[in-house]
Amino acid sequence: MEETFVPLQGIKNDLRGRLMCYKQDWTGGFKAGFRILAPTTYIFFASAIPVISFGEQLERNTDGVLTAVQTLVSTALCGIVHSIIGGQPLLILGVAEPTVIMYTFMFNFAKNIPDLGRELFLAWTGWVCVWTAGLLFLLSILGACSIINRFTRVAGELFGLLIAMLFMQQAIKGLVEEFRIPQHENPKLTEFIPSWRFANGMFALVLSFGLLLTALRSRKARSWRYGTGWLRSLIADYGVPLMVLVWTAVSYIPAGDVPKGIPRRLFSPNPWSPGAYENWTVIKDMLNVPVVYIIGAFIPATMIAVLYYFDHSVASQLAQQKEFNLRKPSCYHYDLLLLGFLTLLCGLIGIPPANGVIPQSPMHTKSLATLKHQLLRNRLVATARKSIRKNASLGKLYGNMQEAYQQMQTPLVHQEPSARGLNELKESTVQAATCTGNIDAPIDETLFDIEKEIDDLLPVEVKEQRLSNLLQATMVGGCVAAMPILKKIPTSVLWGYFAFMAIESLPGNQFWERILLLFTVPSRRYKVLEQQHATFVETVPFKTIAIFTVFQTAYLLVCFGLTWIPIAGVMFPLMIMLLVPVRQYILPKFFKGAHLYDLDAAEYEEAPALPFNLATETDLGHGASYAGDGEILDEVITRSRGEFRHTCSPKITSSTSTPSNDPRSLQSPRISSCSPRLSELRGERSPRASGKGSQSHTHSPRTGEPKPSNVGKSPLNPGSS
């Protein structure tokens, strides 16, 4: 994104770029056919279930003024509008936890003010939304989104972990409430006597943990050893919503032997009942709000505008990280302008506004990467088999697949050109094909395993289109009419899903990994080197890592603590924004520049895994893993800012072009001395066997200049040598 602070220039640039893509955004979705339903269904449940839970939370916190009907309508309305006329269609909009916190604080303030009270709460929030929309208009026009690139890993990962903590907090609070008598209920009812309350709470624990464990397990279905590829892919794609249905069905097993209210289920008015549509006419009450409170609404509006600016922009940033290899332009300024109009619309009809949400937005992009991978894979498999039938050599086969890959691209003049073709062949494949001494010899599937090799060759790409976003938002809107059915879902199942969302967002968050590293005993820290790891593990002393992580943790706890303080809790977005100058001006005074670069770089390289048995491992490609049937991202961990970390054995890849006639040239340049594990990968010396006098030279991941290797003398275990 080009930085520009000329008024309206950013919006003009965004519109110019996205309008040229608009037609292809729709045709690309329809050309995918029924396959588009997999990412659509996946992101629909990821959006709808939290929104229903937030509606349940708002209903309790606002004494029934706002319910799940309003949160679903807001998510559907904003999602449909954004999918049609929005800039970045990968961005998912929804009512998020910070919005719930803001509205809870505002309700607690308004209900204690005689001039406002419960009756004028929505009218007053309407004025808050008017002010918020005005501020968002101003930010988008002045090009405030140009500084979004200054939100480094410190801010992004801290905010992501804060959202995870809020998700888990809600899950725990919800489960605790299952043991108590709900507000505004008759305590003399049978289901509220102590014994039945205890039974309800224990059953809620069973349902919540049952959903959590089975949902986490189903997401790993592609790595199962059981079942066919299509069955495992089906479970991985649809397992989480299936588990919601399964555990909802389980909740009805003891129905005939327990009181009707056990387990507790969603309670929300139907969209056609009187209590559900009182807010739609709130605009007529806005003039009844005293002038002093209309002006005072600017204060919470400022907090919400800052939150939406940050949350919306970061969610969009995570949905279009460089590692996703997107080819269409970003649209930060125009999307923020559109968010202002949507916030204004929601405020005038008395529903909480929706904005870009985390982790649903990067989840959407990831699911569309899976779709694009499946389409490319089918084409390359057919091409490879056709080439083998014609007795093609390895170089010719690779050239044919490269040509087929390029034909599958959509070359538009306004898109970013494809900076890379297929990944390079594994070293073991090249060696096997040339072991006879004739590089032009025909190759067969004993040397080139089509089903395994092609997954390694395909780079990460995304099916960029608008259809999945439109369909999922429409399905969320359909939940409003299906409210009588949704009310059959136990609230405990929703708390389990909240915990699932929180845990799903943790892997790949480098901040979380450093926290775990602090609790790793010194004698076991070398285990980190056995896996793919960030460069700071070798380049930054452990003491520096610990101090940096403690600072970030303390800052996170301050932000989290602010959400517990009445009224003042709306300041937590400002604390997140404050991290920008803290990172730019304060942290460099306490940390060396090189260390800070590795700990907080927006992009970084990772050192390869270092098994201790490499002294006997002579073949680099031996035992290399490959992607499963249909999920290109199954073997990577998506960090909170979108970077990928491979969890399998290192693959031989390169961004350079590969001549198709000479298999020897297919060898990756990473097998050269640029590898920070060159001597160990070649089996020359094991870390445990390295002596004090041994010292190899590697290349810095930042500068490429030779530097002494830290292998065997890792800062994580200074005592090892």
Side-chain angles (χ1 to χ4, degrees), residues 81 106 157 258 298 310 313 328 343 351 405 417 424 434 599 602 669 692 705:
V81 173
M106 289 191 294
E157 291 191 334
V258 298
F298 181 79
F310 179 80
S313 299
K328 297 180 181 178
T343 301
I351 60 178
Y405 170 79
E424 298 199 8
T434 58
L599 288 169
K692 293 183 179 180
E705 298 175 357

PDB file of all heavy atoms in Angstrom, residues 81 106 157 258 298 310 313 328 343 351 405 417 424 434 599 602 669 692 705:
ATOM      1  N   VAL A  81     -23.443  -5.946   2.384  1.00  0.00           N
ATOM      2  CA  VAL A  81     -23.058  -4.681   1.751  1.00  0.00           C
ATOM      3  C   VAL A  81     -21.566  -4.685   1.414  1.00  0.00           C
ATOM      4  O   VAL A  81     -21.161  -4.293   0.311  1.00  0.00           O
ATOM      5  CB  VAL A  81     -23.409  -3.494   2.667  1.00  0.00           C
ATOM      6  CG1 VAL A  81     -22.845  -2.194   2.093  1.00  0.00           C
ATOM      7  CG2 VAL A  81     -24.918  -3.383   2.832  1.00  0.00           C
ATOM      8  N   MET A 106     -21.337   1.324  27.913  1.00  0.00           N
ATOM      9  CA  MET A 106     -22.262   2.429  27.640  1.00  0.00           C
ATOM     10  C   MET A 106     -23.625   2.180  28.275  1.00  0.00           C
ATOM     11  O   MET A 106     -24.271   3.117  28.755  1.00  0.00           O
ATOM     12  CB  MET A 106     -22.395   2.637  26.132  1.00  0.00           C
ATOM     13  CG  MET A 106     -21.149   3.226  25.480  1.00  0.00           C
ATOM     14  SD  MET A 106     -21.392   3.762  23.770  1.00  0.00           S
ATOM     15  CE  MET A 106     -21.690   2.203  22.951  1.00  0.00           C
ATOM     16  N   GLU A 157       0.410  -9.038  17.388  1.00  0.00           N
ATOM     17  CA  GLU A 157       0.302 -10.259  18.183  1.00  0.00           C
ATOM     18  C   GLU A 157      -0.292  -9.993  19.555  1.00  0.00           C
ATOM     19  O   GLU A 157      -1.020 -10.833  20.095  1.00  0.00           O
ATOM     20  CB  GLU A 157       1.674 -10.916  18.308  1.00  0.00           C
ATOM     21  CG  GLU A 157       2.176 -11.478  16.995  1.00  0.00           C
ATOM     22  CD  GLU A 157       3.389 -12.360  17.162  1.00  0.00           C
ATOM     23  OE1 GLU A 157       4.119 -12.169  18.149  1.00  0.00           O
ATOM     24  OE2 GLU A 157       3.586 -13.235  16.310  1.00  0.00           O
ATOM     25  N   VAL A 258     -35.074 -35.003  33.351  1.00  0.00           N
ATOM     26  CA  VAL A 258     -34.627 -33.789  34.040  1.00  0.00           C
ATOM     27  C   VAL A 258     -35.630 -32.672  33.784  1.00  0.00           C
ATOM     28  O   VAL A 258     -36.431 -32.743  32.838  1.00  0.00           O
ATOM     29  CB  VAL A 258     -33.233 -33.366  33.541  1.00  0.00           C
ATOM     30  CG1 VAL A 258     -32.204 -34.441  33.834  1.00  0.00           C
ATOM     31  CG2 VAL A 258     -33.263 -33.044  32.055  1.00  0.00           C
ATOM     32  N   PHE A 298     -19.505  12.078  22.033  1.00  0.00           N
ATOM     33  CA  PHE A 298     -18.252  12.138  21.279  1.00  0.00           C
ATOM     34  C   PHE A 298     -17.126  11.384  21.986  1.00  0.00           C
ATOM     35  O   PHE A 298     -16.217  10.858  21.332  1.00  0.00           O
ATOM     36  CB  PHE A 298     -17.855  13.609  21.078  1.00  0.00           C
ATOM     37  CG  PHE A 298     -16.590  13.791  20.292  1.00  0.00           C
ATOM     38  CD1 PHE A 298     -16.601  13.692  18.911  1.00  0.00           C
ATOM     39  CD2 PHE A 298     -15.381  14.049  20.938  1.00  0.00           C
ATOM     40  CE1 PHE A 298     -15.428  13.859  18.181  1.00  0.00           C
ATOM     41  CE2 PHE A 298     -14.209  14.225  20.218  1.00  0.00           C
ATOM     42  CZ  PHE A 298     -14.235  14.122  18.830  1.00  0.00           C
ATOM     43  N   PHE A 310      -8.337   0.534  14.158  1.00  0.00           N
ATOM     44  CA  PHE A 310      -7.276  -0.444  14.377  1.00  0.00           C
ATOM     45  C   PHE A 310      -7.746  -1.856  14.042  1.00  0.00           C
ATOM     46  O   PHE A 310      -7.093  -2.584  13.285  1.00  0.00           O
ATOM     47  CB  PHE A 310      -6.826  -0.377  15.837  1.00  0.00           C
ATOM     48  CG  PHE A 310      -5.752  -1.372  16.174  1.00  0.00           C
ATOM     49  CD1 PHE A 310      -4.435  -1.135  15.845  1.00  0.00           C
ATOM     50  CD2 PHE A 310      -6.065  -2.557  16.830  1.00  0.00           C
ATOM     51  CE1 PHE A 310      -3.440  -2.044  16.154  1.00  0.00           C
ATOM     52  CE2 PHE A 310      -5.086  -3.475  17.139  1.00  0.00           C
ATOM     53  CZ  PHE A 310      -3.771  -3.218  16.808  1.00  0.00           C
ATOM     54  N   SER A 313      -8.531  -2.380  10.234  1.00  0.00           N
ATOM     55  CA  SER A 313      -7.329  -2.338   9.398  1.00  0.00           C
ATOM     56  C   SER A 313      -6.434  -3.546   9.641  1.00  0.00           C
ATOM     57  O   SER A 313      -5.892  -4.134   8.700  1.00  0.00           O
ATOM     58  CB  SER A 313      -6.554  -1.045   9.659  1.00  0.00           C
ATOM     59  OG  SER A 313      -7.329   0.092   9.344  1.00  0.00           O
ATOM     60  N   LYS A 328      -4.287  -9.160  -6.152  1.00  0.00           N
ATOM     61  CA  LYS A 328      -5.141  -7.982  -6.337  1.00  0.00           C
ATOM     62  C   LYS A 328      -4.803  -6.936  -5.284  1.00  0.00           C
ATOM     63  O   LYS A 328      -4.356  -7.275  -4.188  1.00  0.00           O
ATOM     64  CB  LYS A 328      -6.614  -8.390  -6.270  1.00  0.00           C
ATOM     65  CG  LYS A 328      -7.009  -9.344  -7.394  1.00  0.00           C
ATOM     66  CD  LYS A 328      -8.473  -9.733  -7.317  1.00  0.00           C
ATOM     67  CE  LYS A 328      -8.821 -10.708  -8.444  1.00  0.00           C
ATOM     68  NZ  LYS A 328     -10.230 -11.153  -8.390  1.00  0.00           N
ATOM     69  N   THR A 343     -21.479   1.925  10.001  1.00  0.00           N
ATOM     70  CA  THR A 343     -21.649   2.266  11.419  1.00  0.00           C
ATOM     71  C   THR A 343     -22.794   3.250  11.598  1.00  0.00           C
ATOM     72  O   THR A 343     -23.613   3.117  12.527  1.00  0.00           O
ATOM     73  CB  THR A 343     -20.344   2.865  11.972  1.00  0.00           C
ATOM     74  OG1 THR A 343     -19.284   1.915  11.825  1.00  0.00           O
ATOM     75  CG2 THR A 343     -20.491   3.233  13.430  1.00  0.00           C
ATOM     76  N   ILE A 351     -28.915  -1.085  16.110  1.00  0.00           N
ATOM     77  CA  ILE A 351     -28.209  -2.357  16.246  1.00  0.00           C
ATOM     78  C   ILE A 351     -26.722  -2.076  16.403  1.00  0.00           C
ATOM     79  O   ILE A 351     -26.231  -1.050  15.931  1.00  0.00           O
ATOM     80  CB  ILE A 351     -28.462  -3.295  15.040  1.00  0.00           C
ATOM     81  CG1 ILE A 351     -27.993  -2.646  13.738  1.00  0.00           C
ATOM     82  CG2 ILE A 351     -29.934  -3.674  14.957  1.00  0.00           C
ATOM     83  CD1 ILE A 351     -28.161  -3.536  12.511  1.00  0.00           C
ATOM     84  N   TYR A 405       0.546 -24.730 -15.018  1.00  0.00           N
ATOM     85  CA  TYR A 405       0.331 -23.825 -13.892  1.00  0.00           C
ATOM     86  C   TYR A 405       0.117 -22.391 -14.370  1.00  0.00           C
ATOM     87  O   TYR A 405      -0.789 -21.693 -13.901  1.00  0.00           O
ATOM     88  CB  TYR A 405       1.523 -23.905 -12.944  1.00  0.00           C
ATOM     89  CG  TYR A 405       1.535 -22.854 -11.867  1.00  0.00           C
ATOM     90  CD1 TYR A 405       0.747 -22.975 -10.728  1.00  0.00           C
ATOM     91  CD2 TYR A 405       2.330 -21.709 -11.992  1.00  0.00           C
ATOM     92  CE1 TYR A 405       0.756 -22.008  -9.746  1.00  0.00           C
ATOM     93  CE2 TYR A 405       2.352 -20.737 -11.018  1.00  0.00           C
ATOM     94  CZ  TYR A 405       1.564 -20.892  -9.891  1.00  0.00           C
ATOM     95  OH  TYR A 405       1.571 -19.918  -8.920  1.00  0.00           O
ATOM     96  N   PRO A 417       1.787  -9.165 -11.067  1.00  0.00           N
ATOM     97  CA  PRO A 417       2.209 -10.346 -11.831  1.00  0.00           C
ATOM     98  C   PRO A 417       2.672 -11.450 -10.902  1.00  0.00           C
ATOM     99  O   PRO A 417       3.151 -11.193  -9.804  1.00  0.00           O
ATOM    100  CB  PRO A 417       3.364  -9.812 -12.686  1.00  0.00           C
ATOM    101  CG  PRO A 417       3.870  -8.627 -11.922  1.00  0.00           C
ATOM    102  CD  PRO A 417       2.672  -8.016 -11.255  1.00  0.00           C
ATOM    103  N   GLU A 424      10.415 -25.541  -6.423  1.00  0.00           N
ATOM    104  CA  GLU A 424      11.379 -26.420  -7.053  1.00  0.00           C
ATOM    105  C   GLU A 424      11.256 -27.849  -6.546  1.00  0.00           C
ATOM    106  O   GLU A 424      10.752 -28.099  -5.450  1.00  0.00           O
ATOM    107  CB  GLU A 424      12.781 -25.876  -6.825  1.00  0.00           C
ATOM    108  CG  GLU A 424      12.962 -24.513  -7.455  1.00  0.00           C
ATOM    109  CD  GLU A 424      14.414 -24.158  -7.649  1.00  0.00           C
ATOM    110  OE1 GLU A 424      15.266 -25.026  -7.432  1.00  0.00           O
ATOM    111  OE2 GLU A 424      14.680 -23.013  -8.030  1.00  0.00           O
ATOM    112  N   THR A 434      18.533 -38.788 -11.532  1.00  0.00           N
ATOM    113  CA  THR A 434      19.817 -38.706 -12.221  1.00  0.00           C
ATOM    114  C   THR A 434      20.789 -39.798 -11.782  1.00  0.00           C
ATOM    115  O   THR A 434      21.955 -39.781 -12.180  1.00  0.00           O
ATOM    116  CB  THR A 434      20.464 -37.332 -11.969  1.00  0.00           C
ATOM    117  OG1 THR A 434      20.627 -37.146 -10.554  1.00  0.00           O
ATOM    118  CG2 THR A 434      19.596 -36.225 -12.525  1.00  0.00           C
ATOM    119  N   LEU A 599      13.098  -9.809  16.950  1.00  0.00           N
ATOM    120  CA  LEU A 599      11.976 -10.068  17.849  1.00  0.00           C
ATOM    121  C   LEU A 599      10.675  -9.463  17.352  1.00  0.00           C
ATOM    122  O   LEU A 599       9.596  -9.956  17.676  1.00  0.00           O
ATOM    123  CB  LEU A 599      12.285  -9.512  19.246  1.00  0.00           C
ATOM    124  CG  LEU A 599      13.330 -10.264  20.064  1.00  0.00           C
ATOM    125  CD1 LEU A 599      13.726  -9.452  21.286  1.00  0.00           C
ATOM    126  CD2 LEU A 599      12.793 -11.627  20.488  1.00  0.00           C
ATOM    127  N   ALA A 602       8.265  -7.453  10.974  1.00  0.00           N
ATOM    128  CA  ALA A 602       6.998  -7.804  10.338  1.00  0.00           C
ATOM    129  C   ALA A 602       7.171  -9.035   9.467  1.00  0.00           C
ATOM    130  O   ALA A 602       6.252  -9.806   9.265  1.00  0.00           O
ATOM    131  CB  ALA A 602       6.482  -6.634   9.502  1.00  0.00           C
ATOM    132  N   PRO A 669      18.699 -23.384  -4.451  1.00  0.00           N
ATOM    133  CA  PRO A 669      19.853 -22.638  -3.956  1.00  0.00           C
ATOM    134  C   PRO A 669      19.998 -22.720  -2.455  1.00  0.00           C
ATOM    135  O   PRO A 669      21.025 -22.383  -1.918  1.00  0.00           O
ATOM    136  CB  PRO A 669      19.561 -21.197  -4.415  1.00  0.00           C
ATOM    137  CG  PRO A 669      18.103 -21.149  -4.659  1.00  0.00           C
ATOM    138  CD  PRO A 669      17.707 -22.524  -5.092  1.00  0.00           C
ATOM    139  N   LYS A 692      34.335 -27.333  21.384  1.00  0.00           N
ATOM    140  CA  LYS A 692      34.517 -25.902  21.582  1.00  0.00           C
ATOM    141  C   LYS A 692      35.250 -25.263  20.419  1.00  0.00           C
ATOM    142  O   LYS A 692      35.073 -24.102  20.127  1.00  0.00           O
ATOM    143  CB  LYS A 692      35.295 -25.648  22.880  1.00  0.00           C
ATOM    144  CG  LYS A 692      34.507 -26.045  24.122  1.00  0.00           C
ATOM    145  CD  LYS A 692      35.279 -25.716  25.378  1.00  0.00           C
ATOM    146  CE  LYS A 692      34.513 -26.069  26.625  1.00  0.00           C
ATOM    147  NZ  LYS A 692      35.227 -25.766  27.870  1.00  0.00           N
ATOM    148  N   GLU A 705      25.271 -11.714   5.299  1.00  0.00           N
ATOM    149  CA  GLU A 705      26.695 -11.713   5.537  1.00  0.00           C
ATOM    150  C   GLU A 705      27.073 -12.879   6.435  1.00  0.00           C
ATOM    151  O   GLU A 705      26.317 -13.276   7.306  1.00  0.00           O
ATOM    152  CB  GLU A 705      27.109 -10.397   6.204  1.00  0.00           C
ATOM    153  CG  GLU A 705      26.817  -9.180   5.327  1.00  0.00           C
ATOM    154  CD  GLU A 705      27.128  -7.904   6.061  1.00  0.00           C
ATOM    155  OE1 GLU A 705      27.498  -7.984   7.247  1.00  0.00           O
ATOM    156  OE2 GLU A 705      27.028  -6.840   5.444  1.00  0.00           O
TER     157      GLU A 705
END
